[in-house]
Amino acid sequence: MTESTRDNVADVPEPRSVITDELAIEIARLGLVRESSDVSTLRRVTELAARSVNGCAGATSVRWRWDRSDPPEPVISAGSHPALAELVDLQISRGEGPIFDVVTTHAPLSCEDTLAETRWPHYTPAMLRRGVRCFTTTLHETDEVLMTLTLYGVLPRSLDPRQLAVAALLIAQGGAAVSNTRQYDDAHRTAVQLQAAVETRAVVDQAKGILMHALGYDADRAFAELRRISQTRHVKLTALAQRIVDGDRIQGSK
């Protein structure tokens, strides 16, 4: 190698992942709760990874159920290509493979050339038949969410580790989106339950008021009468109260 060649090589910048304005917008959208679900989030993460990481020909992702006491179980998965989705299904059906090793050890792993890979004798031939010559699997782990993201290349060593920062960002944002969606759903469910409880209480209070006015009862006696009729007629208290408010005649009342 001549001095001039060495100078030219030194001037060549190292490959790196570039976050374009379009990609930045897409990553930000992953965190929008109202646009997210577990399935849609995983699909968008895999599609963005396949488009954005240099050397990546496709991707798959899996969300796992776990509570730190039992082994993680795959819940849903997504793939940028049907053939890659089949690789995930194959691992899930056997309960073994790279994704299971990653969630067991809580550490990422890579294969630079599947042709020389010996760790998964039942899985590696399936990758080769689908044209996969290298891959890397990483994970995002919090107290609430466990996700894995696998990137695949069609050439050996085409997934340069220096280019995987975008993949790490995607899975982290995707995991945050799943967590945010679950928290939003929990909060929404609680709000709906509280609203239903308030509406139920309002109807019961109206029915009590009607009995108090019509029969001269105090609040405690009116409520006791509602309960008595409810139990006697085998009608839910709220349904009975609604019928009284609607002006229906209730058999069995005094």
Side-chain angles (χ1 to χ4, degrees):
M1 180 181 296
T2 66
E3 188 68 27
S4 175
T5 303
R6 285 196 295 269
D7 290 341
N8 290 336
V9 171
D11 291 337
V12 176
E14 292 184 351
R16 60 189 180 89
S17 294
V18 176
I19 299 180
T20 63
D21 291 344
E22 179 185 1
L23 178 58
I25 292 173
E26 292 292 340
I27 292 174
R29 287 189 60 194
L30 283 173
L32 296 180
V33 172
R34 292 184 179 274
E35 296 188 14
S36 298
S37 67
D38 287 7
V39 174
S40 65
T41 295
L42 261 64
R43 287 175 178 169
R44 288 165 64 189
V45 166
T46 56
E47 291 169 359
L48 287 173
R51 281 181 8 215
S52 308
V53 178
N54 292 335
C56 178
T60 59
S61 57
V62 181
R63 186 173 78 78
W64 302 75
R65 178 186 296 111
W66 74 314
D67 58 9
R68 296 186 182 273
S69 59
D70 297 320
E73 297 181 5
V75 179
I76 55 175
S77 62
S80 60
H81 300 79
L84 298 180
E86 291 172 359
L87 292 177
V88 174
D89 293 340
L90 177 62
Q91 293 179 79
I92 292 175
S93 67
R94 299 186 63 91
E96 63 181 23
I99 58 174
F100 283 90
D101 290 353
V102 167
V103 298
T104 299
T105 62
H106 300 277
L109 60 78
S110 298
C111 169
E112 293 186 343
D113 188 352
T114 52
L115 198 58
E117 182 58 65
T118 60
R119 285 174 288 184
W120 308 282
H122 297 290
Y123 177 65
T124 302
M127 287 192 290
L128 289 171
R129 286 195 297 271
R130 290 164 175 81
V132 173
R133 289 298 304 273
C134 68
F135 73 88
T136 182
T137 301
T138 187
L139 77 163
H140 174 74
E141 175 184 359
T142 68
D143 291 338
E144 298 178 338
V145 176
L146 178 62
M147 290 175 54
T148 53
L149 174 64
T150 303
L151 310 182
Y152 304 87
V154 296
L155 297 175
R157 290 172 287 277
S158 60
L159 294 167
D160 193 313
R162 293 168 294 185
Q163 302 178 35
L164 301 182
V166 169
L169 178 59
L170 285 171
I171 191 173
Q173 185 72 346
V178 170
S179 179
N180 290 341
T181 299
R182 293 179 63 184
Q183 292 177 15
Y184 174 83
D185 289 343
D186 290 343
H188 180 68
R189 190 179 303 110
T190 299
V192 170
Q193 292 171 346
L194 289 174
Q195 181 65 28
V198 169
E199 292 174 355
T200 297
R201 178 62 181 271
V203 171
V204 172
D205 285 345
Q206 290 179 61
K208 282 168 53 180
I210 292 172
L211 292 183
M212 291 168 65
H213 178 75
L215 304 176
Y217 291 164
D218 61 18
D220 290 340
R221 188 176 178 186
F223 184 67
E225 182 67 7
L226 282 173
R227 291 181 59 186
R228 184 189 69 78
I229 299 174
S230 170
Q231 293 170 0
T232 301
R233 304 296 298 173
H234 303 291
V235 178
K236 288 185 178 180
L237 183 64
T238 53
L240 174 65
Q242 187 64 59
R243 290 172 61 184
I244 293 175
V245 170
D246 292 341
D248 294 344
R249 178 178 176 81
I250 306 299
Q251 298 294 330
S253 59
K254 295 182 179 178

